[in-house]
Amino acid sequence: MDSDEVVNNLMKRQNIKQDINVIELYLGKQSLTSVNSLRRFRMLQRLWLNSNKLRNLLSPLTQHCFLHHNFRITELHLQNNELCEIRGTLSHLRYLQVLMLQKNQLANLNEVLQELFPLQALHVLNLFDNPLAQEPGYRLLLVHTLPSVERLDRREVTAKEKKQAREIYEANREAVKASIAFGRRADINPSLLHTLNRYQPSRSTITPAKYNVQTIRREMNLQSRHSVMQYTTFDWARIPSCEERRLGAAVPSPQNLTVKFR
């Protein structure tokens, strides 16, 4: 039985006569090896395809993702399948908030990161029990690459993990931020100030090139189109002490210390 038959039987049992009234579809545990286009369900928001035999997300008739026209999807359950790749199938789902991909055969971490990177509304993501989950530094890399995700692999993303990820992938930026303090002039390497505009990748500049982990990290360190943020603190080191004033020692004029971030 193909997916169209399953859908039609389901709608008949639920006494749903118009496609536009379909907001969610449960097609789990149907032994499906492929899914035909779901473009007829323009209002579809939640879809369950768990526990089937899907190896990819392409419609056999069009060779496009069967969700190519379903832009309103907010929840997508694809766990317990045989998915080997998701390239070019999910990045257009800009309203997607929940994505279940656990217990598949996804092995290419870079490819998955590239596909999920544009999903700024994504809050819940499961990728455990895939080969890619065994990559060194897997969790912190996902925390850094997908900052909107609040729950990853059934665990909350903590502030401590976000801080650890920044320290690994934005080491120079964190060093500069740590040097800014009120009431003192902290030591800082001036060369760091010239690299502050090289952080956080622009989501519009990621292209479908072949990525590896090092390339993704390099993109994060070299691209930025974010607004400028400026921190200013008073340089208290230039205020003469009582002893210096008594001795009449020459002290440079006071000034503000300003550091700009992107």
Side-chain angles (χ1 to χ4, degrees):
M1 186 180 297
D2 71 6
S3 63
D4 287 341
E5 293 181 65
V6 174
V7 170
N8 291 334
N9 290 340
L10 180 63
M11 291 179 66
K12 186 175 181 180
R13 289 198 303 269
Q14 298 292 328
N15 196 29
I16 299 175
K17 300 185 183 299
Q18 294 184 332
D19 295 343
I20 198 170
N21 293 330
V22 177
I23 296 176
E24 59 181 43
L25 272 176
Y26 182 80
L27 303 177
K29 301 180 180 179
Q30 300 292 331
S31 298
L32 297 174
T33 57
S34 63
V35 179
N36 294 326
S37 174
L38 297 175
R39 66 180 302 170
R40 58 192 268 209
F41 303 114
R42 292 184 293 121
M43 305 305 292
L44 185 63
Q45 296 179 21
R46 295 176 291 277
L47 176 62
W48 285 263
L49 280 164
N50 54 291
S51 304
N52 283 293
K53 298 178 181 179
L54 302 177
R55 294 187 61 82
N56 59 57
L57 302 179
L58 301 178
S59 167
L61 300 177
T62 65
Q63 289 304 305
H64 291 298
C65 175
F66 53 78
L67 294 173
H68 187 65
H69 299 278
N70 301 97
F71 300 102
R72 290 181 172 86
I73 293 288
T74 60
E75 288 189 31
L76 184 55
H77 298 260
L78 294 166
Q79 66 270 27
N80 290 305
N81 277 283
E82 301 172 7
L83 294 174
C84 298
E85 65 172 359
I86 58 171
R87 181 174 52 190
T89 58
L90 300 177
S91 60
H92 67 291
L93 301 177
R94 301 305 171 93
Y95 294 103
L96 189 62
Q97 299 176 19
V98 177
L99 178 58
M100 301 288 107
L101 282 168
Q102 69 268 27
K103 298 184 179 181
N104 279 287
Q105 299 299 319
L106 298 171
N108 193 326
L109 178 58
N110 312 306
E111 183 180 282
V112 170
L113 285 175
Q114 182 183 347
E115 191 64 25
L116 302 185
F117 189 72
L119 306 182
Q120 300 185 48
L122 190 62
H123 297 320
V124 180
L125 173 64
N126 279 353
L127 282 168
F128 63 89
D129 286 348
N130 279 283
L132 58 76
Q134 304 304 315
E135 291 277 353
Y138 150 83
R139 184 174 175 88
L140 288 183
L141 181 57
L142 260 70
V143 168
H144 184 67
T145 308
L146 307 173
S148 65
V149 173
E150 299 172 352
R151 190 172 183 84
L152 175 61
D153 291 344
R154 299 185 295 189
R155 287 169 43 203
E156 296 291 333
V157 175
T158 65
K160 181 178 179 181
E161 287 178 318
K162 291 182 178 181
K163 185 175 186 296
Q164 289 175 334
R166 288 195 303 269
E167 289 173 349
I168 294 173
Y169 301 114
E170 300 182 20
N172 287 350
R173 181 182 182 127
E174 288 299 299
V176 173
K177 287 171 66 176
S179 74
I180 300 172
F182 182 78
R184 67 181 177 88
R185 184 178 184 179
D187 294 330
I188 179 173
N189 183 349
S191 64
L192 295 180
L193 300 178
H194 299 290
T195 63
L196 290 177
N197 62 339
R198 297 174 179 263
Y199 297 91
Q200 296 295 341
S202 168
R203 295 181 180 272
S204 62
T205 60
I206 296 299
T207 58
K210 291 184 178 179
Y211 273 68
N212 53 42
V213 174
Q214 290 75 22
T215 305
I216 292 174
R217 293 173 183 169
R218 187 161 58 249
E219 288 288 341
M220 292 179 177
N221 289 333
L222 294 179
Q223 299 182 38
S224 175
R225 292 185 182 177
H226 286 242
S227 301
V228 174
M229 184 181 299
Q230 178 172 299
Y231 293 88
T232 302
T233 185
F234 192 74
D235 185 2
W236 292 93
R238 291 176 175 262
I239 300 297
S241 64
C242 294
E243 184 177 356
E244 288 172 331
R245 286 199 297 269
R246 186 173 63 252
L247 297 176
V251 179
S253 300
Q255 67 178 20
N256 287 334
L257 294 177
T258 301
V259 180
K260 292 184 178 180
F261 292 91
R262 289 185 182 275

